[in-house]
Amino acid sequence: MNILHRGFDRLELSIEANIPPELFEYLDPIREEAEDARESRAVSYGGAEFDLLPHGVQGYRFILQSGPLPVTWFFKKPNARDPWGIRIVVGSLMLATRGLGYVRTHIANTLERLGVRYGPRQVSIGRTDFCVDILAPDFELTPENFVIHSHSNRADHLTPEDHTLSNGKSGRFTSVTVGKMPGRQVTIYDKRLEVTDKRKPIWWDIWNETRKAEGLPPLDPKDRSESRIWRVEVRAGKRIMKDRWGITTWEDFDAKFGDVIAEAFEKIRYCEPDPTDTNRARWPNHEIWDIAKVDADEDLTELRSHVGASAVKEVHKADQIKMILALALGNCTTLAALEGVESDDLQGYMQDMGERLRTEIQADPERAANKLSKAKERYRFVG
């Protein structure tokens, strides 16, 4: 077993401020246009670039996304009686490739560009996830091997019936989650399976960058037996961050978050069962738990992969091209079937398809150019 990645995986925070009236006046008509068209619109303000979604959510009038390292910005309509008008959710790729220190600067700089004014005590951190990815080809997940630490207090201790969720697949457990949000969750899950199922190929680059730095050969995504990667993840919600540890601001976070993670690894443990000892609290940690656990004094803020933003763009672009090409081939093959083409004639049919498409474009070049322009706008973050 060895570590392939350590770092933050998700960050949610709120800002006690409203967007300025000028920004609202700029966004609102574009939001109406996007809603009517039922598609996102590109927006640029103060040098910051976003996609404005055609809908809001839970009282937030505007949802903006920036890429290719996703950050989602939620803005309410300015209201003096509701000062908490901004929510920000940072996704895993930004945190994995740039680190938390960069993310904090990026958030501050972006809000400044948007004309939002706020102080350090007007930041409230609502959720933070920290993960460790471990190459463990021979590891088998057993839900019963989780043990709640004997020193857990009543507020943090949840009964097995309440706190253990197990998802099995093909006769083996692929994930176990302990705890509930917005409190604390600790989970182990098959990250390789998730990356494959949800088409997240950039993670192979992230993991192989670590292998390269350690002088090890790259992992082969096709070799399942030798590239099984398990993620151990701690998710700290508002009840843990704010109510238990008093963490709201970045100053609080810097002083206490290492303790939050270290406590999670102590209160919830994945163990190696001792058949001679019926007291589960005395069972030793499993090797995967000792590898993953965090020391309270560790500086976690600068943990990141050294895969650059340009590599993320290229991997995402290549994956989109591969997917769209497969869709185009599938659509053309379906059309061939509908038009009665036999398998021996399929290659010639596909060759002729280019001429048919050219004719369609020639019939309405303005419409084709408009579609091309919209597609370029939609994928502008990946080039």
Side-chain angles (χ1 to χ4, degrees), residues 107-336:
I107 289 172
N109 289 344
T110 301
L111 290 175
E112 183 178 4
R113 288 178 172 184
L114 298 177
V116 176
R117 300 290 178 260
Y118 66 101
R121 305 304 299 179
Q122 293 172 275
V123 176
S124 179
I125 302 168
R127 170 175 171 170
T128 310
D129 298 355
F130 185 85
C131 66
V132 184
D133 293 341
I134 300 171
L135 177 65
D138 300 324
F139 176 71
E140 295 291 337
L141 182 60
T142 305
E144 292 76 16
N145 290 357
F146 269 104
V147 175
I148 301 300
H149 197 279
S150 59
H151 293 160
S152 296
N153 60 39
R154 187 178 180 88
D156 296 328
H157 183 87
L158 302 173
T159 65
E161 290 76 20
D162 289 334
H163 77 239
T164 303
L165 306 171
S166 305
N167 299 313
K169 186 173 183 179
S170 304
R172 70 183 181 91
F173 286 103
T174 58
S175 71
V176 175
T177 300
V178 179
K180 291 183 177 181
M181 298 300 284
R184 172 175 55 214
Q185 283 186 330
V186 175
T187 181
I188 301 180
Y189 64 96
D190 187 336
K191 184 64 177 178
R192 183 194 185 281
L193 179 66
E194 189 218 29
V195 164
T196 302
D197 286 353
K198 296 185 178 180
R199 298 181 62 90
K200 299 178 178 180
I202 188 60
W203 281 98
W204 293 105
D205 295 77
I206 291 172
W207 294 328
N208 281 329
E209 194 67 25
T210 301
R211 301 271 294 180
K212 180 180 177 181
E214 296 175 354
L216 298 172
L219 297 171
D220 181 0
K222 298 179 182 179
D223 188 351
R224 183 181 304 176
S225 64
E226 294 300 320
S227 64
R228 182 164 291 163
I229 294 132
W230 292 88
R231 171 164 288 189
V232 180
E233 185 168 306
V234 176
R235 303 163 184 161
K238 187 175 181 180
R239 290 179 185 170
I240 289 292
M241 299 280 283
K242 182 178 179 180
D243 298 346
R244 173 169 171 76
W245 283 94
I247 296 175
T248 56
T249 68
W250 287 121
E251 182 181 4
D252 303 329
F253 185 94
D254 292 338
K256 303 175 185 178
F257 188 73
D259 295 302
V260 173
I261 299 301
E263 180 190 61
F265 278 100
E266 291 299 324
K267 286 185 175 290
I268 301 169
R269 298 187 300 128
Y270 188 79
C271 296
E272 191 72 60
D274 183 348
T276 66
D277 194 341
T278 58
N279 187 341
R280 294 164 59 88
R282 290 196 294 260
W283 287 0
N285 286 350
H286 191 282
E287 179 187 1
I288 200 169
W289 207 249
D290 283 334
I291 290 173
K293 70 180 183 179
V294 171
D295 188 287
D297 295 327
E298 285 188 71
D299 180 10
L300 307 175
T301 58
E302 296 306 322
L303 291 175
R304 68 182 184 93
S305 162
H306 291 280
V307 173
S310 59
V312 176
K313 288 182 182 181
E314 289 303 318
V315 171
H316 182 64
K317 182 177 179 179
D319 186 58
Q320 290 295 302
I321 290 172
K322 180 180 178 181
M323 180 182 68
I324 293 170
L325 183 61
L327 289 172
L329 177 60
N331 287 334
C332 288
T333 304
T334 302
L335 184 60

